[in-house]
Amino acid sequence: MRGDQGTDPKDAPPAEGGALLAVENLRVSFGSGGSRVDAVRGVGFTLRARECLAVVGESGSGKSVTARALLGLAGPGSSVAAGRLELEGEDLTRAGDRRWRELRGRRIGMVLQDALSSLDPVRTVGAEIGETLRNHRTVPRQARQDRVVSLLKRVHVPDPGLRARQYPHQLSGGLRQRALIASAVAADPAVLIADEPTTALDVTVQAQILDLLTAMKAAGTAVLLISHDLSVVARFADRIAVMYQGAFVEEGPAEDVLGSPAHPYTRRLLAAVPGVRRRGARLAPSEPGGDLAGITTACGYAPRCPLAEARCREHVPPLVAIGPAHGARCWRTDDEEPAQTLDTAVTGRGRRDEAVIEVSGLTKAFRGPDRRHRPAVEGVSLTVHAGETLGVVGESGSGKSTLAALVMGLLEPDDGSVRFLGEPWSRVPEPSRRSRRGRIQLVHQDPLASFDPRYTVERIVGEALGSPGRRAVRRRRDQITELLHRVGLDPALLTRHPRELSGGQRQRVAIARALAPGPDAIVCDEPVSALDVSVQAQILDLFVDLRDELDVALLFISHDLGVIHHISDRVIVMREAVVVEAGPVEQIFRDPRHDYTRSLLAAVPRPEARTDTTPTH
Amino acid sequence: MTAARWLVRRLLLTVVVMLGAATVAFAGLQLTPGDPARVILGSTTPSPEQVEQVRHELAFDRPVPVQYGLFIGRLAKGDLGRSYQLREPVGALIGDQAWSSALLALTGFATALTAATVLAVATAGRRPALRRLSMGLELIAISTPGFWVGALLLTFFAFRWHLFPVAGGSGPEALVLPSATLALGLVGVYAQVMREGMERALDEPFVLTARARGGGETSVRLRHALRHALIPLITISGWSVGALLSGAVVVETIFSRQGIGRVMAAAIASRDLPVVTGVILLSALAFSLINMAVDGLYRIVDPRLRESAL
């Protein structure tokens, strides 16, 4: 499983200054010869007790591989080498398989993203937590069950005795994540590695999980937090390392990295976070562009960097000290980026003043497993005008997606009505709706699942132009190319299949498909939730541009308040099937009336608002 | 849905399936050319009076719906009728043979399952050389016909080395070669299905988590991956055990064993229709019960299925 560890086993002294984990020049690569991929290229850091180091980067930057290599679990076909890899003074570069197994879970624990797939679905939560105790024999067998319950209690799971007997799918996302954390810390490891521990969670649940991790840190655990989201990290990390293409490009105390970022990539990541300050500005400045894959440069970021010079493409930049314990691998840390001016006026709300979607008193109930009817949407009324974005925000289970299906005319309401372009849209026979179907379009969270995997990009977009069949699609190539151009895709992608595209490219294809019939309204159901912050920024910019150019009405559903704030003109807040608050975006965010809205806003992590919120545990 | 409700519902469904099988068997009887009375009376040319008497005794002279009613009525009481050839009650005749068939099918299945589990756990996602060798042998085992394997086993283990009896016998040693023959046909399919299921499970994040807890390779495979590989295996074993119970004719013939398969073949050849009907009903019952067991096993192996409806 593990590759060859340790090319340079030197007799290291005991860890200095209480460092629990010390890493120098960690390198991980996959494959060999021509197909060799260097995933981690010389990473080094130290981690002390009661300290959190956050590693931030976009997907593919090597942060998860780094985390796994620290557990000796880099995966099949990997080769790991480190100048130094010490856990509590023990040299791990020379550890054998047996020693690694003794350490995992006992001295160093790991929590992964998405507890639903990270806990074995066919075993009870208690069995999963108990497994750590069983592997390391920390408690006698008879006491194991009691320890499991007390561990669940420690991570604040209510009714721990019952929860221990349940299966992961019977728990809510937040409870599952807590149970996963309990299984990772069951044998009291000194170091906890958390790989995107809050990414799939609602904001309030996310805040609770971060509080739990904060309490563990205060109790003495050293935490290595991996995330793509700077705003999550801001709340919790003591130090931040920004990772790009397998190397740390900037590292320093959290305040310094967030407050005065030195590396152009860090600045871009910060700028990409949609939030209160950034409203009306572009999130993703245009890049020099070009084919990134073909260029090999000394500084990995040079092809995307607006400040790149000749030397950036020839030599690896040295680590430049910026402040105490704050450094960046860049020559141009002092230079500001050229200011990006807005090329379109973003404030174009209700220009045509024409109501595209009118919903009044909409109600829909579903029968639950206990055969009781539960409303998914109850008495919802809203109007979306041309060229306007109505944001729908709420946590999972609040009825947002049911609302989307009702507005799309994919579900019939139990009560209330939907009107589209001034004519009845709900409760009319499908044939009378069919001619108008193309004028309201849907963009999903997961574009991959909404594409036929056997179709090419050309055919996916072409079918939406209203001419099914391979030959008809070919005749429309000009139109298809123009649509791809409009969403910022290279026409060279026409012959690709969805699997061969990146997440951002897929979502662009989904948007091109939605635009193909010339819609008056687009319903967007969590369209950016599955994307990295930097890609999310580009897609949000694209939505704003398209709305303003085409005067299309957007019904934009998201659980992310930052996203909603950035893109919406008006907002409705949903909770348990009902709208608890509605109004213009500035009013909702500046002066929320409803307690629920206030609690949502309070839970939002913001990079710019880093305060000392260390809970008193 | 609770487990009890589920069970009652499945049992009722089984009754419906049996009724359907009985009806099909009855229709088959009616459509078969030739007079059953003459079959019963044997090869000697019977007088018309004799034929008429037999027809009357067996109610063949009544209208078809009445015959159907009588037939179903007898079945409901558990009476399968008498064999035309052997003049014995069909129930007793099949019962003896069914036990022998079931024993063979179950030992064959258990052997195949054990071997496949060992192969899958040992080679899924590791030991590339052994994995390739195992896959090659599995392919050979799948594509080799049972009669040839049986003949080979007989040649070496019975005739040449005298380790096992050549034919017949009732002790456990008589069971070894036939069940090995059956198992060889199944082990390839089982091992491939299991290996694929395990390799898929080993890629899941929960396996990484289990390793991060300090689990050893064997315990990760047995505690986590194996259970996920069982789900496709249960599907395929339900089908194959059912097929074994009712149709191990080839193996039974080669090893001169008693069994349902041979009874069926003989009954069809001699138009012994009550016996054919009995075997059809027994197979239907076996398949129904096995399917029920399969669905029940899914619910035990995967708790997520317990909450969904039938």
Side-chain angles (χ1 to χ4, degrees):
Chain A
M1 292 277 101
R2 222 157 24 80
D4 52 325
Q5 297 267 347
T7 50
D8 180 18
K10 56 184 176 187
D11 286 327
E16 73 279 8
L20 292 176
L21 188 63
V23 181
E24 268 172 35
N25 197 18
L26 177 72
R27 295 175 169 274
V28 184
S29 59
F30 292 92
S32 57
S35 59
R36 183 182 149 113
V37 178
D38 293 312
V40 180
R41 303 187 287 187
V43 159
F45 60 89
T46 56
L47 191 61
R48 291 175 181 80
R50 293 170 215 277
E51 185 185 44
C52 170
L53 170 68
V55 178
V56 180
E58 55 197 21
S59 43
S61 60
K63 52 194 195 313
S64 288
V65 178
T66 305
R68 276 155 214 199
L70 296 177
L71 284 155
L73 288 172
S78 66
S79 64
V80 181
R84 183 174 167 206
L85 183 58
E86 281 178 19
L87 180 66
E88 298 178 283
E90 181 181 347
D91 182 9
L92 296 186
T93 57
R94 287 185 292 189
D97 266 346
R98 170 181 283 274
R99 184 65 192 145
W100 270 111
R101 281 208 299 276
E102 286 166 6
L103 295 171
R104 288 179 205 138
R106 185 83 185 89
R107 309 308 313 160
I108 182 165
M110 179 160 76
V111 178
L112 294 177
Q113 182 187 353
D114 187 12
L116 186 57
S117 56
S118 300
L119 288 169
D120 193 336
V122 302
R123 285 158 58 85
T124 60
V125 168
E128 288 286 273
I129 298 170
E131 191 176 62
T132 313
L133 304 173
R134 181 169 166 169
N135 287 338
H136 300 292
R137 295 186 189 82
T138 44
V139 291
R141 182 189 304 214
Q142 311 85 285
R144 207 182 285 153
Q145 199 53 39
D146 294 339
R147 177 61 69 87
V148 166
V149 172
S150 71
L151 278 164
L152 281 171
K153 209 178 284 170
R154 201 170 109 196
V155 295
H156 307 295
V157 170
D159 209 351
L162 170 72
R163 298 303 180 189
R165 290 193 303 274
Q166 285 186 314
Y167 291 93
H169 72 276
Q170 294 168 319
L171 269 57
S172 69
L175 287 185
R176 266 201 301 265
Q177 197 67 40
R178 283 162 195 272
L180 185 63
I181 292 174
S183 88
V185 301
D188 259 325
V191 178
L192 182 66
I193 297 178
D195 190 352
E196 306 266 8
T198 63
T199 299
L201 303 173
D202 283 335
V203 271
T204 48
V205 182
Q206 183 176 319
Q208 291 162 8
I209 298 291
L210 287 177
D211 284 347
L212 176 65
L213 290 174
T214 309
M216 288 184 165
K217 192 177 77 172
T221 310
V223 180
L224 184 73
L225 176 70
I226 312 275
S227 181
H228 73 273
D229 192 343
L230 271 172
S231 50
V232 166
V233 161
R235 196 186 166 106
F236 178 59
D238 300 302
R239 285 186 300 132
I240 294 179
V242 179
M243 196 163 184
Y244 186 79
Q245 290 195 350
F248 287 176
V249 294
E250 181 163 358
E251 190 190 346
E255 297 84 12
D256 297 353
V257 172
L258 295 170
S260 50
H263 197 281
Y265 179 64
T266 314
R267 292 183 202 156
R268 165 155 310 183
L269 274 184
L270 275 167
V273 178
V276 178
R277 248 192 233 168
R278 304 281 313 167
R279 185 171 160 72
R282 294 191 76 73
L283 297 172
S286 54
E287 292 174 352
D291 185 13
L292 300 182
I295 304 170
T296 49
T297 47
C299 171
Y301 190 59
R304 288 172 66 184
C305 183
L307 300 173
E309 301 171 325
R311 59 178 171 172
C312 300
R313 299 187 181 90
E314 283 153 19
H315 307 287
V316 180
L319 190 66
V320 178
I322 291 142
H326 182 190
R329 282 191 189 278
C330 184
W331 274 297
R332 307 205 50 187
T333 51
D334 301 330
D335 302 299
E336 286 298 315
E337 281 187 46
Q340 290 273 336
T341 48
L342 302 180
D343 36 6
T344 47
V346 181
T347 45
R349 72 202 55 160
R351 260 167 306 180
R352 285 195 296 164
D353 234 20
E354 177 199 336
V356 178
I357 300 169
E358 295 157 274
V359 169
S360 67
L362 207 60
T363 296
K364 178 80 188 172
F366 292 107
R367 208 166 75 168
D370 54 356
R371 290 162 185 258
R372 285 230 314 267
H373 282 268
R374 264 197 203 92
V377 169
E378 196 169 16
V380 171
S381 301
L382 55 89
T383 311
V384 194
H385 297 98
E388 181 194 49
T389 307
L390 178 71
V392 181
V393 69
E395 306 198 308
S396 43
S398 59
K400 305 187 302 276
S401 291
T402 308
L403 179 65
L406 288 165
V407 168
M408 286 297 297
L410 301 171
L411 278 178
E412 287 298 322
D414 297 339
D415 198 17
S417 70
V418 181
R419 291 171 73 79
F420 179 51
L421 297 171
E423 285 173 58
W425 180 249
S426 62
R427 299 197 206 207
V428 292
E430 187 58 31
S432 75
R433 249 190 319 219
R434 195 162 294 144
S435 62
R436 291 178 291 158
R437 272 266 178 228
R439 307 188 56 186
I440 182 163
Q441 291 289 313
L442 180 66
V443 176
H444 288 280
Q445 173 175 3
D446 180 7
L448 192 59
S450 73
F451 296 147
D452 186 326
R454 284 173 200 82
Y455 280 16
T456 58
V457 168
E458 180 178 30
R459 193 145 179 222
I460 289 167
V461 179
E463 297 259 326
L465 283 168
S467 47
R470 205 171 299 185
R471 234 170 291 151
V473 163
R474 218 168 286 148
R475 281 201 300 275
R476 299 236 185 179
R477 184 162 284 174
D478 290 350
Q479 265 177 290
I480 297 169
T481 312
E482 198 196 312
L483 278 165
L484 289 191
H485 186 71
R486 170 148 257 159
V487 298
L489 281 177
D490 188 344
L493 300 176
L494 274 178
T495 53
R496 297 268 190 93
H497 290 269
R499 285 217 169 271
E500 302 166 311
L501 304 175
S502 70
Q505 287 173 330
R506 285 176 196 153
Q507 202 55 280
R508 284 176 195 265
V509 172
I511 295 168
R513 177 175 65 177
L515 291 177
D520 294 283
I522 303 180
V523 176
C524 310
D525 191 357
E526 303 268 9
V528 295
S529 304
L531 304 173
D532 271 358
V533 176
S534 46
V535 181
Q536 168 181 306
Q538 296 164 10
I539 299 292
L540 285 178
D541 283 348
L542 177 62
F543 270 119
V544 170
D545 289 348
L546 292 172
R547 179 194 64 195
D548 295 340
E549 282 168 34
L550 306 173
D551 260 351
V552 65
L554 292 183
L555 182 68
F556 200 99
I557 295 172
S558 180
H559 70 277
D560 187 330
L561 283 113
V563 167
I564 288 288
H565 179 267
H566 183 78
I567 200 163
S568 309
D569 300 304
R570 288 183 301 118
V571 177
I572 63 173
V573 182
M574 283 188 77
R575 187 197 191 188
E576 287 171 10
V578 295
V579 174
V580 296
E581 188 160 5
V585 65
E586 295 87 354
Q587 184 202 314
I588 298 267
F589 277 76
R590 201 179 308 129
D591 182 20
R593 299 281 159 84
H594 196 278
D595 286 344
Y596 179 66
T597 317
R598 284 197 203 114
S599 71
L600 275 183
L601 283 169
V604 175
R606 293 194 189 90
E608 66 265 27
R610 184 182 157 82
T611 47
D612 289 356
T613 49
T614 317
T616 50
H617 280 282
Chain B
M1 189 154 34
T2 63
R5 276 175 65 106
W6 176 82
L7 197 66
V8 169
R9 196 157 161 185
R10 290 307 300 255
L11 283 171
L12 286 176
L13 271 174
T14 304
V15 173
V16 174
V17 169
M18 297 298 294
L19 199 65
T23 308
V24 170
F26 179 80
L29 277 174
Q30 296 298 317
L31 294 173
T32 317
D35 190 345
R38 289 175 194 278
V39 178
I40 293 166
L41 289 167
S43 54
T44 53
T45 44
S47 66
E49 294 78 36
Q50 278 178 306
V51 171
E52 208 47 49
Q53 194 194 341
V54 170
R55 286 177 65 86
H56 184 72
E57 277 172 14
L58 295 175
F60 288 146
D61 52 355
R62 312 275 287 274
V64 173
V66 176
Q67 286 189 47
Y68 178 71
L70 290 170
F71 171 72
I72 296 293
R74 277 202 308 275
L75 280 184
K77 281 182 279 180
D79 179 10
L80 290 166
R82 277 174 177 275
S83 159
Y84 296 163
Q85 294 286 318
L86 305 165
R87 312 282 159 100
E88 277 180 58
V90 173
L93 192 72
I94 293 179
D96 291 347
Q97 312 288 332
W99 172 240
S100 160
S101 279
L103 202 61
L104 176 61
L106 291 179
T107 46
F109 168 71
T111 314
L113 186 64
T114 315
T117 308
V118 171
L119 283 176
V121 171
T123 64
R126 60 174 172 178
R127 298 181 184 137
L130 189 64
R131 182 174 179 274
R132 231 169 298 149
L133 178 71
S134 170
M135 283 178 75
L137 291 177
E138 285 155 24
L139 199 63
I140 292 173
I142 292 170
S143 19
T144 314
F147 61 84
W148 192 67
V149 173
L152 272 188
L153 289 178
L154 270 182
T155 310
F156 287 98
F157 289 93
F159 292 115
R160 185 161 303 178
W161 298 323
H162 305 289
L163 291 171
F164 299 103
V166 173
S170 54
E173 68 275 6
L175 207 55
V176 174
L177 290 185
S179 52
T181 309
L182 281 184
L184 268 175
L186 292 175
V187 73
V189 184
Y190 287 6
Q192 292 195 349
V193 167
M194 267 179 117
R195 184 183 299 110
E196 198 180 307
M198 275 191 87
E199 283 175 355
R200 210 176 309 130
L202 285 170
D203 278 340
E204 294 279 339
F206 62 78
V207 167
L208 184 66
T209 310
R211 292 205 169 111
R213 291 188 196 117
E217 191 58 31
T218 313
S219 94
V220 165
R221 277 164 190 260
L222 294 182
R223 270 188 228 158
H224 295 274
L226 187 60
R227 201 150 158 193
H228 291 265
L230 283 182
I231 292 164
L233 189 80
I234 290 170
T235 313
I236 197 165
S237 16
W239 168 81
S240 55
V241 172
L244 282 185
L245 277 179
S246 54
V249 191
V250 174
V251 172
E252 283 168 7
T253 311
I254 293 172
F255 292 97
S256 322
R257 278 181 66 83
Q258 295 191 319
I260 275 295
R262 293 187 81 194
V263 171
M264 178 81 162
I268 289 172
S270 61
R271 296 193 173 201
D272 198 343
L273 296 174
V275 177
V276 175
T277 312
V279 175
I280 289 174
L281 287 176
L282 184 70
S283 305
L285 183 67
F287 265 104
S288 295
L289 292 179
I290 286 168
N291 264 317
M292 224 168 99
V294 163
D295 285 356
L297 281 173
Y298 284 146
R299 291 157 67 98
I300 291 170
V301 168
D302 193 338
R304 286 168 295 183
L305 298 173
R306 279 174 217 165
E307 272 137 57
S308 55
L310 250 168

